[in-house]
Amino acid sequence: MKKGYCLIIGVGLMTALMIQIAMPKIFYHMMNSYIAQNISSIMCANTISQSYIWRGNNTVFVLYTDQEAQDMIFEYHMSEDEGVRESLREQILSKLHTQKYGYPSHQIPGDGAIVATTYSMIYVENGDVFYQDEAEEVATVLLDSGWLTTLSMDMDMIYSPVLGDDSFSVICFVVPFSANGLNCYGVHMMDFSYILALFDELENIGIHDFCMLQNERILYQNTDYEFQLDSYPEYMFNQLQYQTSVLSQKDGMDFMTLCSYEGENMKIAVHADRDTLLEPYRNIILLIECLMYGIILLMIVLILFLLRQLLRRLTVLSKRIERVTKGNYDLIPEDDHDDEIGRLTGNFNVMVQTIQSDMERRIAQEKKEQEMQYSLLVSAIDPHFIYNTLNIITFLAHMGKTEEITKVNTALIGTLKDRLAIKNSRVYDTIEAEREVLSQYMLIQRYLCHNTIDYQFEVNEKDRYLLIPKNILQPIVENSIKHGLLPHKDRQTHQILDGKIVIHAQSSG
């Protein structure tokens, strides 16, 4: 029973351990779509914030169609009069605006506020550069990087990679345009830390792997995680603005969102591992696990209770079987359950009853056979004994010995009466009663042997009333006379010599 309990408890603990290991995976696969929607919403918020900052690039788009600005740039390039050039420069700079976001005069930006300052610049292939004085720091990093020199007019609108170093970095958006045949580039630029701050929300939920790309060209990547862009299916790159595509990976999910207009095609890609995706749902998973543990515990208790009931019934049946093997055939109480154990108990009781009936019949039959054999033995002795006794009575009658006839006749009647008790199934009697019957028998034998037999019956007072089989002593005494005393005769006269029979009865216990 204890082994069964230990086995069930062990299986329950193993099941609980398997649930603890497997539940996060099961929950992840079941809630995959919902989890993806949660991250997608955060991605959408991030890209909307970026679009809000990048919307200042309308300044450089205007330059593409602003003929007046284009004429002033061309005239500035062609003029050799410094006064004219200075005047034209002032007019050109007036078209380049500095835009600030999140700095209202009456409010200090708090956590989560969109804060940024963007600048505009015109870069001419001949080396002329136009930007406001406040854009000096950003413009210097961009010009020193040499990235603008790599551009060509056959390029479409393009985002730059992140330029600079860890202390200060810049990112920009460029639109090529022609100023009466002069190759120019409208540049929208800003401190990259403004963009980087927008990823704090992703960082806060544990997503640390992200990148910015345009036309599958990575502009910025914050970790060493390798985005396998070449293996991405086509749908990952085809989405509307602010729409997020999701790709399941072995260790988590990759997300990609278009955060600009389709023509600009600037996207954000992030990778979230499985633990990060499941982190917001830990309490739910724990609650489900606790619920499962409760169900398992309830099942174990129920199984142990049922097992205890079954084993208790089986134990009763087993102990009863052991008692039957030792000869105790008492029936066990009926099991009123309508199941295998109940039917087994009922069949066992029927079997025990059948065995008892068979044994009783066999014992009765054996007893009857023994009584018949005993009666046959008595019957075999009776005719010879009666014949001799009647001869003695006849002889005594001729001799006129009435008193002796009375004694012999009384002894014969007592002996026959005792034999009749045997035939009536009374097969046991006390030693004292057998001694009296045997005394009557010996009285007759003394007459048969002419009083040559000395007979003694010795028994302790405490043993006089012990039970012994009836008439077990008479055949022994008869054989002693027949085969011991009667053949003992005088060789000359052939007279029977005196003999002695001593019976000593004693209990051995």
Side-chain angles (χ1 to χ4, degrees):
M1 184 179 294
K2 291 182 179 179
K3 290 182 178 179
Y5 289 164
C6 292
L7 179 62
I8 292 173
I9 294 173
V11 171
L13 293 176
M14 288 297 296
T15 304
L17 180 61
M18 291 176 62
I19 288 175
Q20 185 177 13
I21 295 174
M23 181 53 66
K25 296 181 180 179
I26 296 173
F27 184 87
Y28 177 79
H29 287 292
M30 291 180 61
M31 303 297 292
N32 193 289
S33 299
Y34 181 82
I35 293 172
Q37 288 178 3
N38 184 41
I39 302 300
S40 297
S41 64
I42 299 176
M43 290 280 292
C44 182
N46 180 282
T47 54
I48 290 174
S49 299
Q50 288 206 44
S51 296
Y52 178 72
I53 295 175
W54 283 110
R55 71 179 183 173
N57 63 11
N58 59 354
T59 299
V60 297
F61 276 111
V62 170
L63 292 174
Y64 186 81
T65 58
D66 190 341
Q67 188 61 47
E68 181 183 6
Q70 294 173 10
D71 290 341
M72 286 189 294
I73 294 171
F74 181 78
E75 187 178 350
Y76 178 87
H77 173 70
M78 298 300 295
S79 177
E80 295 181 358
D81 187 333
E82 289 298 325
V84 173
R85 286 169 62 87
E86 186 63 28
S87 176
L88 289 171
R89 185 177 185 85
E90 291 294 331
Q91 294 179 58
I92 292 171
L93 290 177
S94 67
K95 293 182 177 292
L96 301 178
H97 305 293
T98 297
Q99 299 183 354
K100 294 179 181 286
Y101 306 97
Y103 291 104
S105 59
H106 62 279
Q107 179 180 344
I108 298 176
D111 293 340
I114 301 174
V115 178
T117 301
T118 63
Y119 310 94
S120 298
M121 181 176 71
I122 297 174
Y123 175 76
V124 186
E125 279 191 349
N126 66 356
D128 292 331
V129 180
F130 303 92
Y131 57 83
Q132 298 285 356
D133 291 341
E134 56 193 5
E136 178 71 27
E137 185 179 18
V138 175
T140 299
V141 172
L142 178 58
L143 293 171
D144 290 346
S145 71
W147 179 76
L148 291 174
T149 62
T150 65
L151 303 179
S152 62
M153 291 299 292
D154 59 350
M155 291 181 177
D156 201 352
M157 56 192 77
I158 186 171
Y159 287 89
S160 75
V162 177
L163 306 171
D165 53 32
D166 293 339
S167 62
F168 188 75
S169 55
V170 174
I171 189 170
C172 65
F173 174 74
V174 178
V175 177
F177 66 94
S178 176
N180 300 325
L182 189 65
N183 294 336
C184 301
Y185 301 92
V187 183
H188 179 73
M189 54 190 178
M190 74 181 82
D191 182 350
F192 183 66
S193 63
Y194 296 139
I195 299 296
L196 204 58
L198 300 178
F199 288 93
D200 287 347
E201 188 174 2
L202 291 171
E203 293 274 359
N204 291 337
I205 64 173
I207 298 178
H208 306 292
D209 304 320
F210 60 87
C211 71
M212 301 172 62
L213 63 153
Q214 182 189 30
N215 298 326
E216 302 183 25
R217 178 175 59 92
I218 294 179
L219 307 177
Y220 173 79
Q221 183 168 338
N222 71 323
T223 66
D224 294 333
Y225 178 79
E226 295 185 8
F227 288 88
Q228 303 294 329
L229 301 178
D230 294 340
S231 64
Y232 279 9
E234 188 66 25
Y235 76 86
M236 287 292 289
F237 299 99
N238 298 330
Q239 62 266 96
L240 301 176
Q241 189 177 24
Y242 311 139
Q243 181 181 4
T244 301
S245 300
V246 184
L247 178 64
S248 293
Q249 302 284 20
K250 291 182 179 179
D251 63 334
M253 297 181 189
D254 284 0
F255 301 83
M256 185 176 288
T257 306
L258 177 63
C259 66
S260 67
Y261 294 113
E262 292 184 51
E264 301 172 23
N265 202 32
M266 201 264 278
K267 297 181 175 68
I268 297 173
V270 303
H271 171 75
D273 58 45
R274 184 173 297 177
D275 290 339
T276 300
L277 293 170
L278 288 176
E279 186 60 33
Y281 308 98
R282 291 297 177 188
N283 290 336
I284 297 177
I285 294 174
L286 180 61
L287 180 62
I288 295 174
E289 289 178 351
C290 291
L291 181 62
M292 295 296 292
Y293 296 154
I295 294 174
I296 291 174
L297 179 60
L298 181 61
M299 291 180 62
I300 290 176
V301 171
L302 181 60
I303 291 173
L304 290 177
F305 175 76
L306 294 176
L307 181 61
R308 182 175 179 274
Q309 297 298 317
L310 293 175
L311 291 179
R312 182 183 59 80
R313 294 161 60 200
L314 287 174
T315 301
V316 171
L317 182 59
S318 176
K319 290 182 178 180
R320 189 65 197 93
I321 292 174
E322 292 179 3
R323 292 171 64 187
V324 168
T325 59
K326 295 177 181 179
N328 187 336
Y329 292 93
D330 294 337
L331 297 180
I332 60 176
E334 290 292 339
D335 192 327
D336 56 0
H337 294 83
D338 187 17
D339 55 14
E340 286 76 7
I341 299 177
R343 289 190 287 272
L344 181 61
T345 301
N347 292 334
F348 177 78
N349 281 337
V350 172
M351 181 188 71
V352 171
Q353 288 177 327
T354 303
I355 292 174
Q356 281 184 304
S357 299
D358 291 343
M359 291 183 64
E360 289 173 358
R361 285 196 297 270
R362 182 160 185 169
I363 291 173
Q365 183 177 358
E366 290 178 353
K367 183 178 180 181
K368 185 176 181 180
E369 290 177 355
Q370 291 174 356
E371 290 176 356
M372 290 176 63
Q373 292 175 357
Y374 199 67
S375 298
L376 288 173
L377 177 62
V378 173
S379 298
I381 298 172
D382 282 348
H384 179 70
F385 177 73
I386 293 172
Y387 173 75
N388 290 334
T389 303
L390 292 177
N391 281 336
I392 292 173
I393 293 172
T394 303
F395 175 75
L396 293 175
H398 285 299
M399 297 295 294
K401 296 182 178 182
T402 306
E403 184 176 351
E404 284 80 354
I405 292 174
T406 302
K407 290 180 180 180
V408 172
N409 190 53
T410 301
L412 178 60
I413 292 172
T415 302
L416 293 178
K417 183 178 180 182
D418 185 67
R419 302 289 174 84
L420 183 60
I422 295 175
K423 292 182 179 180
N424 290 332
S425 299
R426 187 177 147 202
V427 295
Y428 291 95
D429 212 338
T430 63
I431 294 177
E432 181 64 24
E434 283 297 293
R435 185 175 68 169
E436 293 178 359
V437 173
L438 191 58
S439 297
Q440 295 174 342
Y441 173 77
M442 288 303 300
L443 186 147
I444 297 173
Q445 288 293 353
R446 281 196 181 97
Y447 279 98
L448 291 174
C449 297
H450 308 290
N451 293 318
T452 58
I453 300 175
D454 183 10
Y455 164 73
Q456 295 180 14
F457 195 117
E458 300 175 356
V459 60
N460 295 330
E461 184 67 24
K462 65 176 183 177
D463 297 330
R464 288 173 57 192
Y465 297 99
L466 294 177
L467 293 176
I468 60 173
K470 290 188 67 58
N471 202 31
I472 193 173
L473 298 177
Q474 185 269 331
I476 298 173
V477 172
E478 183 178 8
N479 286 332
S480 298
I481 296 171
K482 182 177 180 181
H483 301 289
L485 298 181
L486 293 180
H488 191 215
K489 299 178 180 180
D490 186 276
R491 293 182 179 180
Q492 296 179 356
T493 63
H494 300 289
Q495 295 292 323
I496 298 175
L497 300 177
D498 293 340
K500 185 175 183 179
I501 297 176
V502 179
I503 298 175
H504 181 76
Q506 181 180 352
S507 63
S508 59

